[in-house]
Amino acid sequence: MMKKMSLRTRLTLLSAIVLTSVAVILSTVSMISANRIFVQGVQQQLNKDLSLSVQTSDIDISKKIEVAPSGDNTDDVTLSQAKYTAISMTLSKAGQEFNMWEIIGLALITLLGIGATWYMAGQALKPVQELYNAIDEIDEKDLSRRVDTHGRQDEIGRLGKSFNAMMDKVSASFERQKRFSASAAHELKTPLTTIQLGLEVLELDDNPNPEQMKKVLSVTKNNTDRMVRLVSDLFSLSTDDAYEMDEVMSVQNLFSDIKEELLPIIQARSLNVTIVTTPEIKLTGNRILLYRALFNLTENAAKYNREGGFISLTAYKEGEAVIVCVSDNGIGIPQEELPHIFEPFYRVDRSRSRAMGGSGLGLSLVKEIIEKHGGSIEVESVLGEGTSFMMRFFQTARYRKV
């Protein structure tokens, strides 16, 4: 029943119960005390005085029976009894009136207290009502509504601040999701449009020559491969498939395999790749995922490097952690771009990244994989001088299955 009432009504009702209970107890004590002290006490004292007067009158009558007339003292006693009776009745009536006014006062105080409680509860809960109104007006089209917490340091103010902070995070998440959806649609639309244009060119020519068909097929294949990689990366970002995370692997072996796979790019750009680590440096987790993360970083270091540049692949222990670094002396990243490079589809140089076949999801996947292994990743870069990614893995941590 209470759950169906508003918070203001519940506070008022509970306060009314407490207030009424206290008022009834105080009024009852007051009426009982007044009755015993003023009514019964005075009546008892009058009865004692009356009894003493009667006894005194009897003695006087016996002494003066031969001198005084027989009816004089008897009349005095009767008169005293009448006075005492009148006083007693007056006291009883006064006690009844006192009780009546006590009950009226109790009712008035209770009603005034309930009204004051209702008003004060409304004022105290006004920020909660504002919070409710703000929440009620929020929809996916407008996440800008916030609660005014200026000057409030109480629990309601803290609740409002927490709500505003939560809405800031939700709004930022919505914006990221919108950008992600728009970028994904754009990335898929571009190769599809290219494929469609190539096919339309073939349709316009009744007898396309082999060279033209070969060119269209090549463009179609390249764009199809691009879409396959994009869909695969999107699936990797969103999948909740479980992977075994208890495989122990040598970082040196991972680097050696990655270097071997990237050898065509390394040789084409005359890059100098050095591996600085020892076989004792190991990681625990999923080899496929870790290989992909380190491969993406090393591939970027090769793609965005200068001719004849170098790539350094380093791993060492630092206390309980294993530090893995991928560094290069390539083109670097502007400082203002660094906070965004791990966002899906974010490209520092959009035209160049797309020309090199990138989907803009590589670094997002790297960060996701590192965090799944209980690690963290940081980046340092100077434009025109190079970039360094540092990953920190805590081998004493218990890795969860992902």
Side-chain angles (χ1 to χ4, degrees):
M1 182 64 179
M2 292 288 287
K3 293 181 179 180
K4 297 181 179 180
M5 299 180 182
S6 66
L7 185 58
R8 184 181 185 182
T9 303
R10 275 186 279 176
L11 288 174
T12 304
L13 181 60
L14 293 174
S15 300
I17 292 173
V18 173
L19 178 64
T20 303
S21 301
V22 172
V24 168
I25 292 172
L26 291 176
S27 297
T28 303
V29 172
S30 177
M31 287 188 291
I32 293 175
S33 299
N35 184 61
R36 287 184 175 180
I37 294 172
F38 295 105
V39 179
Q40 295 181 4
V42 173
Q43 286 179 344
Q44 290 175 358
Q45 185 64 40
L46 288 174
N47 290 333
K48 288 180 181 180
D49 293 343
L50 180 60
S51 299
L52 181 61
S53 177
V54 171
Q55 292 175 2
T56 304
S57 298
D58 291 342
I59 294 173
D60 291 341
I61 292 172
S62 62
K63 287 181 179 180
K64 301 177 181 179
I65 192 166
E66 294 178 354
V67 180
S70 59
D72 292 342
N73 289 323
T74 302
D75 293 338
D76 293 337
V77 172
T78 302
L79 181 61
S80 296
Q81 290 177 340
K83 291 180 178 180
Y84 289 143
T85 301
I87 294 173
S88 179
M89 292 178 63
T90 301
L91 287 173
S92 297
K93 185 177 180 181
Q96 292 175 358
E97 291 181 356
F98 176 82
N99 293 340
M100 181 185 67
W101 283 109
E102 187 75 18
I103 293 172
I104 293 174
L106 168 64
L108 290 175
I109 291 174
T110 301
L111 291 176
L112 290 174
I114 292 174
T117 302
W118 176 263
Y119 174 77
M120 289 186 292
Q123 293 299 311
L125 295 174
K126 188 176 180 180
V128 177
Q129 183 64 37
E130 294 176 356
L131 180 62
Y132 167 78
N133 293 334
I135 295 174
D136 193 50
E137 293 177 7
I138 290 173
D139 57 28
E140 67 277 6
K141 297 180 181 179
D142 182 15
L143 297 175
S144 61
R145 183 68 187 272
R146 297 295 183 269
V147 179
D148 183 15
T149 59
H150 181 70
R152 296 195 67 96
Q153 302 296 329
D154 56 3
E155 291 79 1
I156 301 298
R158 291 197 293 270
L159 177 62
K161 292 177 181 177
S162 298
F163 171 78
N164 291 340
M166 179 194 70
M167 287 308 303
D168 290 339
K169 295 177 182 178
V170 171
S171 180
S173 178
F174 255 74
E175 289 300 319
R176 286 195 301 269
Q177 189 66 32
K178 287 170 64 176
R179 290 197 301 269
F180 179 88
S181 300
S183 299
H186 178 73
E187 292 294 333
L188 289 171
K189 180 181 179 180
T190 301
L192 287 172
T193 301
T194 303
I195 293 172
Q196 185 180 20
L197 288 174
L199 294 176
E200 288 177 352
V201 169
L202 287 180
E203 284 183 344
L204 292 175
D205 195 345
D206 295 334
N207 295 306
N209 59 62
E211 186 66 26
Q212 188 178 8
M213 291 186 64
K214 184 178 179 180
K215 182 178 179 181
V216 172
L217 287 175
S218 176
V219 172
T220 301
K221 183 179 182 301
N222 291 336
N223 282 278
T224 302
D225 291 341
R226 179 181 169 186
M227 285 191 295
V228 169
R229 288 195 302 271
L230 176 60
V231 173
S232 177
D233 289 343
L234 287 172
F235 181 77
S236 298
L237 279 176
S238 60
T239 184
D240 290 327
D241 290 346
Y243 295 95
E244 293 298 328
M245 304 290 285
D246 53 1
E247 185 177 357
V248 180
M249 68 211 76
S250 168
V251 180
Q252 188 178 54
N253 292 339
L254 287 175
F255 281 154
S256 298
D257 293 342
I258 291 170
K259 181 179 178 180
E260 183 69 24
E261 186 173 349
L262 291 174
L263 195 58
I265 301 177
I266 294 172
Q267 291 177 344
R269 301 178 65 84
S270 302
L271 301 176
N272 180 27
V273 180
T274 60
I275 298 176
V276 183
T277 185
T278 61
E280 291 75 24
I281 305 299
K282 299 181 183 297
L283 292 176
T284 302
N286 184 272
R287 190 182 191 281
I288 296 175
L289 294 178
L290 286 174
Y291 182 89
R292 183 169 189 180
L294 296 178
F295 179 88
N296 284 353
L297 292 176
T298 309
E299 184 183 32
N300 284 347
K303 285 182 177 180
Y304 301 106
N305 213 321
R306 65 188 70 202
E307 293 290 334
F310 75 83
I311 299 174
S312 176
L313 307 177
T314 309
Y316 58 93
K317 291 202 69 174
E318 187 180 86
E320 297 293 335
V322 173
I323 310 299
V324 180
C325 296
V326 177
S327 303
D328 65 73
N329 66 335
I331 62 176
I333 304 171
Q335 290 296 314
E336 63 272 13
E337 306 282 356
L338 290 177
H340 308 288
I341 62 173
F342 294 108
E343 296 178 8
F345 296 110
Y346 189 86
R347 293 187 178 93
V348 177
D349 187 342
R350 294 183 176 274
S351 59
R352 186 172 181 180
S353 298
R354 187 173 287 109
M356 292 182 176
S359 65
L361 295 174
L363 291 180
S364 298
L365 283 171
V366 170
K367 188 173 187 292
E368 181 77 12
I369 292 170
I370 300 305
E371 291 179 347
K372 283 181 177 180
H373 284 78
S376 62
I377 183 170
E378 300 175 0
V379 58
E380 294 181 358
S381 185
V382 178
L383 189 63
E385 296 184 12
T387 304
S388 178
F389 288 90
M390 185 179 74
M391 293 151 281
R392 187 182 299 270
F393 298 91
F394 294 92
Q395 295 302 286
T396 55
R398 179 177 296 176
Y399 299 110
R400 61 185 177 88
K401 289 185 178 183
V402 297

